[in-house]
């Protein structure tokens, strides 16, 4: 039997939507800009698995002039603590300097490290009311989860922000939530730290179709935006590049998504009446398994020495409008052909 050769590239999908910039994204961004005078630090969250694709240039434009801390969330879902992971993290830290960079997991040592950084920042302010921080990022990168983790570790209090598996849980900027209480060492500098959660803001336009698939795979857009079998096909493509052995319990190495999903459906009992495979159900299940870290933990973006020179994902608002019109035209054309 010849050795298995994975697909070197994923096919271009012209009908794939290139925008998820919703009304509450625009409203949230406008509101953030009006709050800048009362904010002394911005925490920008990015998904560890998408260090480049989960960057939104709109934040740098809108929130310019405020100190920034970049936090790569969900490190536990993308890192195996290998030398390659260490090199990538070092490159990102160097790229963001002088802005500090941290890597975060919900229950890892990063939570106390971040709290230490925020308390130190608060003590540099001559403020009787303490520090006011805005936490921003693309949809579903873990902003609310990070806020809750900081509050729980520091104050031993329950959730202050709602979280969920799909984007769009936070739709408005929340009230200030205390995550660090002042102590005697703070003297007259206030010392308390307050964090404000914000709705995730998508980029206006995604230039590359593969970038949209990456964002969908990491739940930055709702699962209804990209067909489940298309998303499973892209996941299969990435699993084969990583290590096809991770799905050995369901199928032999393959580039055929239907063969892959047939094996998943039969192994997990996702069958329709008559014993036929439920391909959509199997696709949703296998994608969720990867999202939870059960089918390999790896990064989807290639980070090289020239981080600055790599492609930006986001485009302008006018590009977004044109892309939406073109996508609707292609969808309508596809429906006519199918009819």
């Amino acid at each position: 039997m010849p050795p298995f050769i994975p697909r070197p590239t994923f096919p271009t999908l012209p009908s794939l939507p290139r925008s998820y910039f919703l009304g509450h994204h625009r409203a949230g961004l406008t509101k953030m800009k009006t709050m800048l005078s009362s904010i002394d630090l911005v925490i920008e969250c990015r998904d560890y698995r998408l260090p480049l694709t989960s960057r939104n240039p709109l934040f740098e434009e809108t929130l310019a002039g405020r100190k920034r801390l970049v936090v790569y969330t969900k490190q536990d879902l993308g890192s195996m603590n290998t030398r390659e992971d260490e090199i990538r993290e070092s490159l990102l830290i160097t790229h963001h300097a002088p802005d500090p960079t941290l890597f975060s997991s919900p229950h890892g040592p990063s939570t106390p490290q971040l709290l230490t950084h925020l308390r130190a920042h608060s003590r540099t302010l001559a403020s009787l009311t303490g520090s006011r921080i805005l936490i921003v990022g693309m949809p579903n990168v873990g902003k609310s989860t990070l806020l809750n983790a900081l509050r729980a570790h520091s104050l031993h209090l329950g959730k202050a922000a709602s979280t969920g598996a799909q984007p769009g849980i936070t739709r408005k900027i929340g009230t200030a939530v205390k995550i660090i209480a002042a102590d005697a060492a703070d003297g007259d500098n206030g010392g308390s730290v307050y964090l404000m959660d914000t709705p995730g803001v998508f980029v206006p336009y995604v230039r590359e179709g593969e970038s949209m698939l990456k964002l969908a795979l990491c739940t930055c857009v709702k699962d209804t935006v990209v067909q489940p079998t298309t998303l499973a096909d892209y996941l299969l493509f990435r699993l084969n590049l990583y290590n096809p052995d991770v799905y050995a319990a369901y199928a032999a190495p393959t580039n055929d998504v239907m063969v892959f999903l047939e094996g998943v459906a039969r192994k997990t009992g996702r069958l329709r009446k008559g014993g036929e495979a439920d391909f959509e159900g199997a696709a949703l299940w296998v994608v969720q398994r990867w999202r939870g870290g059960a089918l390999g933990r790896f990064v989807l973006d290639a980070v090289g020495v020239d981080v600055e020179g790599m492609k930006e994902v986001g485009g302008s608002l006018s590009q977004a409008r044109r892309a939406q019109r073109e996508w609707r035209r292609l969808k309508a054309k596809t429906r006519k052909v199918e009819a």
Side-chain angles (χ1 to χ4, degrees):
M1 180 181 293
F4 172 70
I5 300 175
R7 289 172 286 181
T9 58
F10 194 76
T12 302
L13 303 173
S15 62
L16 197 69
R18 299 296 179 86
S19 181
Y20 187 68
F21 191 70
L22 306 177
H24 69 275
H25 295 176
R26 186 193 301 271
L29 199 64
T30 302
K31 179 66 174 177
M32 291 176 209
K33 193 169 185 177
T34 66
M35 298 173 64
L36 277 184
S37 60
S38 62
I39 298 300
D40 50 80
L41 179 68
V42 173
I43 297 177
E44 183 187 342
C45 292
R46 301 182 185 181
D47 192 312
Y48 185 92
R49 298 164 296 180
L50 301 173
L52 305 176
T53 309
S54 63
R55 171 186 175 239
N56 190 338
L58 290 178
F59 292 128
E60 293 162 40
E61 298 168 12
T62 306
L63 307 177
R66 284 294 171 268
K67 289 185 177 180
R68 184 180 66 149
L69 166 65
V70 180
V71 177
Y72 286 93
T73 61
K74 308 183 185 184
Q75 182 187 26
D76 56 318
L77 298 179
S79 172
M80 295 294 289
N81 299 314
T82 64
R83 178 61 181 156
E84 183 181 357
D85 293 327
E86 292 175 2
I87 292 171
R88 183 190 314 106
E89 291 171 12
S90 178
L91 288 170
L92 291 170
I93 290 170
T94 301
H95 167 64
H96 291 304
D99 291 336
T101 303
L102 293 175
F103 303 91
S104 170
S105 298
H107 307 292
S110 55
T111 301
Q113 290 171 7
L114 181 52
L115 286 167
T116 299
H117 179 92
L118 297 180
R119 182 178 287 282
H121 165 76
S122 176
R123 286 174 174 165
T124 65
L125 306 173
S127 171
L128 295 175
T129 57
S131 174
R132 292 291 190 278
I133 299 172
L134 202 63
I135 185 167
V136 303
M138 291 270 272
N140 216 35
V141 293
K143 300 179 298 297
S144 301
T145 298
L146 181 61
L147 186 157
N148 289 332
L150 293 170
R151 175 179 160 93
H153 189 90
S154 176
L155 303 178
H156 308 290
L157 295 174
K159 285 185 176 182
S162 299
T163 59
Q166 291 291 300
I169 301 298
T170 304
R171 300 181 72 87
K172 293 182 179 180
I173 295 177
T175 56
V177 175
K178 182 185 285 188
I179 58 168
I180 298 177
D183 59 31
D186 296 316
D188 296 329
N189 287 335
S192 296
V193 177
Y194 297 87
L195 198 60
M196 281 178 279
D197 197 11
T198 65
V201 177
F202 203 77
V203 291
Y205 174 69
V206 179
R207 293 189 180 96
E208 304 292 335
E210 187 173 354
S211 295
M212 194 68 178
L213 289 169
K214 291 178 183 179
L215 291 164
L217 193 56
C218 292
T219 338
C220 291
V221 302
K222 286 189 175 181
D223 283 341
T224 52
V225 173
V226 178
Q227 288 289 335
T229 50
T230 300
L231 207 51
D233 192 17
Y234 182 67
L235 174 59
L236 176 64
F237 165 71
R238 299 304 305 227
L239 292 177
N240 284 335
L241 294 177
Y242 172 68
N243 181 3
D245 290 343
V246 297
Y247 62 83
Y250 311 108
T254 179
N255 288 316
D256 188 329
V257 69
M258 290 307 174
V259 171
F260 173 57
L261 292 178
E262 176 93 29
V264 170
R266 301 210 172 277
K267 186 72 175 181
T268 62
R270 282 166 171 75
L271 304 174
R272 296 185 181 278
K273 194 172 182 179
E276 294 182 0
D278 178 1
F279 291 110
E280 185 168 312
L284 289 168
W285 184 86
V286 80
V287 166
Q288 290 294 350
R289 290 285 289 172
W290 180 80
R291 288 171 176 167
L295 275 177
R297 303 183 180 203
F298 52 91
V299 172
L300 298 175
D301 287 336
V303 177
V305 175
D306 184 21
V307 179
E308 189 67 51
M310 293 185 179
K311 288 183 181 178
E312 291 183 1
V313 174
S316 67
L317 291 173
S318 59
Q319 282 179 310
R321 296 187 192 101
R322 286 196 299 270
Q324 285 283 56
R325 289 195 295 268
E326 178 65 14
W327 179 65
R328 291 192 188 103
R329 188 185 66 79
L330 284 170
K331 289 282 283 186
K333 187 177 180 180
T334 302
R335 287 195 195 101
K336 287 180 182 178
V337 170
E338 289 175 349

